[in-house]
Amino acid sequence: MEILAENARQLLGLELSAEQLARFEQYYRELVSYNEKVNLTAIIEYEAVQIRHFLDSLTLASPILRGDKPDKAFDISTAALVDIGAGAGFPGLPLKIIYPEIRLTLVESVGKKAIFLREIAEKLEMTNVTVLTERAEEIGQMAEHRAQYNLATGRAVAALAILAEYCLPLVKIGGLFIALKKGKLGEEITAAQKAIGILGGQLRRTPGFQLPQDTPDDERKLIVVEKVKKTPSTFPRKIGIPSKQPLG
């Protein structure tokens, strides 16, 4: 995990301990093994996983988030975090490795992927990790989850307007919804502005960055939305509607 360690230090200012790197190594081995029977990810090469999965996930813990409003700096290290469409566990599990005090909820509707998430959390000896085999639309209407999280996130899940409807109902006022996105995002962000406002959010900033192996044309952003008011009770809408009829 030397590539991960070096780039976490240089790009994010994170010093990963030997124990943390050992856990990332174990995570990688379990991921590749399980991927032989269940399609978790197309990216399985050792170097690529370190950069495109692990390091990318850790950008949520970087100084990138503390740019324009230092008074509103967000401490992720003890957050209640919900990861929507968790898949193979990114970004939630890498963040849990470096910040073990996070209270992590992973939402993954595909049963076989959810089984992997439970198994890897157990093998990595993680505590305060909950895996929900439910749709995000259902979770957002459950009293035990609605407006209960400091941070909601999703990676490679859906267009921003759709992901906002999945995530913002789960966030407390004053908390954040952060989407990890890649590509030419100007039109997508503009199209999601109305939805974000309806759902009680306010776009704070969209810092851009690049990772090793990215081409000059690659554009990555952390789209940061602050929850500034209560989400109307009608959202999220019923299963399937947000993706078929995005707000906007």
Side-chain angles (χ1 to χ4, degrees):
M1 288 290 148
E2 292 181 1
I3 292 172
L4 175 62
E6 179 181 352
N7 284 282
R9 183 185 307 113
Q10 292 184 355
L11 299 179
L12 308 177
L14 296 172
E15 288 288 345
L16 302 182
S17 69
E19 180 181 356
Q20 288 168 340
L21 292 171
R23 289 189 175 215
F24 277 112
E25 184 72 33
Q26 183 180 3
Y27 190 176
Y28 171 75
R29 300 300 174 192
E30 297 290 345
L31 173 70
V32 171
S33 176
Y34 200 88
N35 202 65
E36 294 178 357
K37 54 184 178 180
V38 175
N39 182 24
L40 296 171
T41 175
I43 299 170
I44 58 172
E45 297 81 7
Y46 189 52
E47 180 175 347
V49 169
Q50 290 181 68
I51 296 298
R52 296 171 65 184
H53 284 327
F54 294 162
L55 184 66
D56 189 34
S57 296
L58 295 184
T59 58
L60 279 169
S62 78
I64 291 172
L65 294 181
R66 298 190 290 274
D68 57 1
K69 294 184 180 180
D71 59 312
K72 287 182 175 286
F74 184 80
D75 182 9
I76 194 175
S77 65
T78 57
L81 188 160
V82 59
D83 182 355
I84 297 296
F90 312 122
L93 289 177
L95 291 167
K96 181 72 173 175
I97 289 174
I98 66 167
Y99 296 131
E101 297 303 313
I102 285 176
R103 179 167 64 85
L104 177 63
T105 299
L106 302 169
V107 179
E108 175 50 60
S109 63
V110 178
K112 291 181 179 179
K113 294 181 179 179
I115 290 171
F116 169 76
L117 294 174
R118 293 188 183 98
E119 290 182 355
I120 190 62
E122 182 177 352
K123 289 178 179 179
L124 293 175
E125 300 180 345
M126 292 178 171
T127 59
N128 288 324
V129 176
T130 301
V131 179
L132 301 176
T133 314
E134 307 282 355
R135 291 286 297 264
E137 299 96 323
E138 296 173 304
I139 300 298
Q141 291 292 353
M142 295 180 180
E144 62 266 39
H145 297 288
R146 189 176 181 88
Q148 296 300 308
Y149 296 91
N150 309 105
L151 173 61
T153 189
R155 178 177 179 264
V157 176
L160 183 59
I162 300 168
L163 187 58
E165 187 168 351
Y166 294 158
C167 288
L168 277 169
L170 299 167
V171 179
K172 300 176 181 180
I173 292 176
L176 300 180
F177 154 51
I178 303 177
L180 292 85
K181 286 283 187 175
K182 178 182 176 182
K184 301 301 182 183
L185 300 169
E187 291 185 5
E188 183 177 344
I189 294 171
T190 299
Q193 289 269 27
K194 183 177 179 180
I196 289 170
I198 291 171
L199 295 162
Q202 180 177 316
L203 192 66
R204 188 194 282 185
R205 54 187 174 276
T206 54
F209 62 98
Q210 284 195 311
L211 298 178
Q213 301 182 344
D214 283 348
T215 69
D217 293 331
D218 284 333
E219 182 180 16
R220 295 178 187 267
K221 288 186 180 293
L222 296 176
I223 301 174
V224 183
V225 176
E226 185 177 358
K227 181 75 170 283
V228 295
K229 62 182 179 180
K230 185 178 179 181
T231 301
S233 61
T234 49
F235 301 107
R237 292 167 290 171
K238 292 182 179 180
I239 290 175
I241 295 179
S243 59
K244 292 178 182 177
Q245 301 174 21
L247 292 172

